[in-house]
Amino acid sequence: MNFHKNHWLLFGVTFFGFVGLSLIVGILPAIWVQNNAEPLPGAEPLTTLQREGLGVYVSEGCVACHTQQVRPLAVDQAWGRPATAGDYAYVTPLGPLVPYAPAVLGSERTGPDLTNVGARQASDVWQYIHLYNPRSVVPDSVMPAYPWLFDEVTVAAAGQTVVPVPAAFAPKNGSQVVPNARGMALVAYLLSLKQTPLGAATATPPGADTAAQAPTQPVADTAAQTAAPAAAPVLAWDESLGASTYTGTCAACHQANGQGLPGAFPPLAGDPVVTADDPTEHITVVLAGKQGGEIGGTTYASPMPAQAQLSDEQVAAVINHERTSWGNAATLVTPEEVAAVRGGLQ
Amino acid sequence: MTDNPTVLVPRRSLTVQKSKVQPVADTDTAWTRLIFSYASSATVWLIWGTLIGLYLSIKFAAPDVEHVAWLSYGRLRPVHTNTVFWGWSSLAMIAAALYVVPRTSQRRLWSFPLAWLSLWLINVSVLVGDILLMAGINNGAQEYREYIWPVQAVFAIGVILVAYNLIRTIADRGIEEIYISNWYIMGAFLWTIPLVIIAYIPTYQQTAISETVIQGYYMHMGVGMWFTPMVLGLTYYVLPKLLNKPIYSYSLGVLAFWTQMVFYTMIGAHHFIFAPTPWWLQTVAIIFSVGMIITLAAGTGNFLLTMRGEGRAIARSYSLPFILAGVISYFLFSAQGSLEALRSLQAVWHFTNYTVAHSHLTMYGFVVLLIWGAIYGILPRLTGHEPPQFWVGVHFWFAVVGLVLYSAALTIGGTVQGLSWMSGSPFIESVKAMASFWLWRAVGGTLMFLSHVIFAFNMWSMRPRSASRASSAPAQGGQAPTGPEATR
């Protein structure tokens, strides 16, 4: 019994000691977790196309910079509710070469968490433009461009989605950009990333579901304004909260300069709803989203997601930011008005 | 400017003259060729792997530098990590182990053909693995096990054959006791082989959270049960050998060995603090992370006490400075890792670039510096050719200054990132705030890469030449401590 002289004893204890400890902290907890992995009630399994998209997500190494892991910490509240094991029950092995569930939780957040990106950026048009070149919609982004998820064609075939890439980033030869099979699969997967609400039977999902129910009135109708006090008292509102909420929630589509992207996302500068004296429609669109439609003579295909997760103060601040920026000078709103509209929507 | 001609200004040269090493007496050219082939393969992977790393750091400043799928960030990042892990560090450590184990066992290596086969298997697996990663074929994006299982199986067979080769050498040893270096070196093999096998068995990794449990277990020990014990084992040989004195305490080395196995194995889950993995598993990981301070203190204390009073010898050696810096890094940055595991600090630093700085401080500041110390300590003795001392010095300072710039930028930047998130700013603000830190990281990375080019040149200078050298090599007696007897 001497480790210094008996090599079989030394190496045997070293080897089997490690294997024993591995059972305790590796294999057995993994088996226990796996046997208790029930999907959340109301969660949808991935479709075939979405699973292909998960494959693209893994293949391109998106997990190097994006987490899908909302921690029970205040700092993570922006990304959704804390993750549970059940959220990942449908993330399962990809095939014979990868007989393991892919590592979607991630370990680094150089880019945003994607747990809920399908609710946050519900527009496939935005996802395509962004993947084609992230800097065309987010100028400060350092994310790689993925042009190999797209084809350049002279004339798009019927049924193909033409990506309205901003001119500065579009192909120089004037050809049109359409997503290829991998690009469509990846966007289908990204749009599927929505947290299933806990206790789905009782609560109203705050995500894109409400966007579908949103009123789709033509914008022109709202020109009929109810009389608002013409000389409203100057309201105190939190300008920095408005600006930061705008940057975090709105600017990816409507852009920091409020000009939107031609053909893809409408401008807010000079928009009749944004500059209307009656803010009801403006508040409604922010809270409930908007299902495409014609604005200022242009038909916009992509829906705007509902932003009901924002507090009344945030909604009031961001609306006031929009109403006082880029040459807009419209009446301001109060959190109480937002609360009233929110109450009316439910 | 006092220009007094009566004051004699001594002419000081830029560098100090370092002491020369004596080549070994027995010139086993087959052995020399084998070890040099391992070390030079490793050097090729070092250049390739860190060239990729440098290129990736440039992409943060210029994301549109090209739009080639094979060169995109998400695909190249695992090429960088896997190449420096399995191509560079692993082969370089095995090169040194193939010297240390036979020497301290006073036996010739058990099988040379087997060792050559292992070298081929490992080289092929890294080459094929890298190509597949660039083609977008990976193992479910699981960090540090991105090579798909057929590739990793080839790598594993190579490592298992080296382990078998070394065990047979130790089993046939010419002295009674097993020197402490061989505890650590064989520990690294006997821990990593089951680790890799467990990590590649799919049965219990069918859902994302069970996979995450294994991922935490694996990614932590892929570093800490392979690189850490192996370089410690090499240092237990090289340090006493270069100082020509016994290690301070044999028992401290034994204590650190067993606590390494028991404590370190338990702490993998600390990579997923606050994830929906079992809470008790995370708590166990945090407790044993703090317990690692014992292992650290025993290991680094032992090395530092061995070096005590040897300042002149260290200054006059070109390999000992690498070892001194590596040992200090081992203590500082492993202790940093223990602190990072605490929940309150994780809340700030998890997911930020702070973690990237930490992994470079440990993997590079600790592991790679000790590898270089071992290579500069061993190779000239084998081949009889020394590297130019000036260029070894430049290598050292470029590597250390580069690492300091790199990690300072990301440590501060990562903290800024975490605080930006906590302040509730829009996410893009944290990206904008990082721009200057990412630039400094690229500057540090450039220095590190240059130091690797210099190292490659130094490797070339140390290469074995034709047999004429053998006769001119002076015979040398006085063995430095190669067995535990020497420490008594």
Side-chain angles (χ1 to χ4, degrees), chain A residues 53-325:
Chain A
L54 172 61
V56 178
Y57 185 84
V58 165
S59 160
E60 296 297 343
C62 303
V63 294
C65 297
H66 293 286
T67 54
Q68 287 184 35
Q69 186 187 153
V70 183
R71 300 166 297 168
L73 298 174
V75 61
D76 274 16
Q77 274 174 2
W79 308 118
R81 62 159 169 77
T84 69
D87 286 325
Y88 304 92
Y90 288 125
V91 181
T92 49
L94 292 172
L97 279 182
V98 188
Y100 324 93
V104 295
L105 273 75
S107 63
E108 220 179 305
R109 204 177 266 167
T110 305
D113 184 273
L114 297 183
T115 302
N116 221 5
V117 71
R120 197 166 65 235
Q121 298 287 4
S123 155
D124 58 347
V125 173
W126 185 88
Q127 298 288 359
Y128 284 131
I129 299 176
H130 183 248
L131 282 171
Y132 186 75
N133 191 319
R135 278 150 296 286
S136 62
V137 278
V138 185
D140 291 307
S141 171
V142 295
M143 178 171 141
Y146 292 91
W148 55 92
L149 300 179
F150 298 84
D151 291 330
E152 290 180 13
V153 294
T154 34
V155 181
Q160 278 185 316
T161 315
V162 177
V163 182
V165 182
F169 297 89
K172 296 288 170 274
N173 57 12
S175 41
Q176 292 183 309
V177 174
V178 295
N180 62 22
R182 296 184 81 225
M184 285 190 279
L186 178 59
V187 168
Y189 171 68
L190 291 175
L191 295 183
S192 80
L193 293 173
K194 293 174 205 164
Q195 282 190 318
T196 308
L198 296 177
T202 51
T204 312
D209 290 10
T210 47
Q213 303 152 10
T216 53
Q217 299 156 323
V219 175
D221 282 6
T222 60
Q225 310 128 4
T226 46
V234 178
L235 291 165
W237 61 283
D238 187 341
E239 294 189 34
S240 69
L241 178 66
S244 72
T245 307
Y246 184 82
T247 307
T249 312
C250 317
C253 293
H254 296 293
Q255 299 296 298
N257 60 8
Q259 297 301 322
L261 283 184
F265 311 111
L268 300 181
D271 178 82
V273 173
V274 173
T275 52
D277 285 337
D278 177 6
T280 311
E281 170 77 3
H282 193 177
I283 298 171
T284 305
V285 171
V286 172
L287 287 177
K290 193 163 171 59
Q291 187 57 57
E294 192 197 323
I295 299 171
T298 309
T299 305
Y300 294 98
S302 56
M304 166 168 158
Q307 306 295 348
Q309 80 285 358
L310 300 175
S311 68
D312 293 340
E313 285 71 23
Q314 283 176 305
V315 173
V318 79
I319 285 178
N320 289 338
H321 176 79
E322 291 167 3
R323 288 178 158 253
T324 56
S325 302

Side-chain angles (χ1 to χ4, degrees), chain A residues 4-5 22 60 107 135, chain B residues 64 75 143 173 178 200 217:
Chain A
H4 298 273
K5 293 177 180 166
S22 297
E60 296 297 343
S107 63
R135 278 150 296 286
Chain B
D64 288 319
R75 297 192 191 184
E143 256 184 306
R173 66 189 175 280
I178 308 161
Y200 273 86
Y217 160 85

Side-chain angles (χ1 to χ4, degrees), chain B residues 222-274:
Chain B
V223 178
M225 296 307 256
W226 175 235
F227 301 111
T228 302
M230 184 90 94
V231 290
L232 293 180
L234 297 175
T235 305
Y236 271 109
Y237 172 80
V238 178
L239 180 64
K241 172 80 182 171
L242 293 178
L243 288 175
N244 204 20
K245 69 190 278 198
I247 195 81
Y248 174 77
S249 161
Y250 205 80
S251 311
L252 271 180
V254 172
L255 170 75
F257 176 81
W258 292 119
T259 54
Q260 170 83 17
M261 179 175 108
V262 175
F263 291 180
Y264 204 90
T265 309
M266 311 299 279
I267 63 186
H270 77 194
H271 286 259
F272 290 96
I273 303 280
F274 296 120

Side-chain angles (χ1 to χ4, degrees), chain B residues 68-83:
Chain B
V68 179
W70 281 49
L71 300 179
S72 71
Y73 183 89
R75 297 192 191 184
L76 279 189
R77 184 182 185 271
V79 174
H80 166 64
T81 53
N82 285 282
T83 305

Side-chain angles (χ1 to χ4, degrees), chain B residues 309-381:
Chain B
E310 299 288 346
R312 285 187 68 80
I314 293 169
R316 281 183 52 74
S317 159
Y318 51 80
S319 40
L320 283 171
F322 285 95
I323 293 179
L324 178 62
V327 168
I328 292 171
S329 296
Y330 175 44
F331 183 78
L332 289 181
F333 305 124
S334 302
Q336 178 198 29
S338 294
L339 289 176
E340 269 183 270
L342 301 176
R343 286 199 174 95
S344 53
L345 297 176
Q346 273 285 290
V348 186
W349 281 324
H350 194 32
F351 297 146
T352 70
N353 277 221
Y354 185 95
T355 316
V356 184
H358 169 72
S359 53
H360 283 80
L361 285 168
T362 46
M363 194 57 209
Y364 197 90
F366 157 44
V367 172
V368 174
L369 288 187
L370 287 183
I371 289 176
W372 280 325
I375 288 182
Y376 282 132
I378 289 171
L379 266 189
R381 285 177 165 71

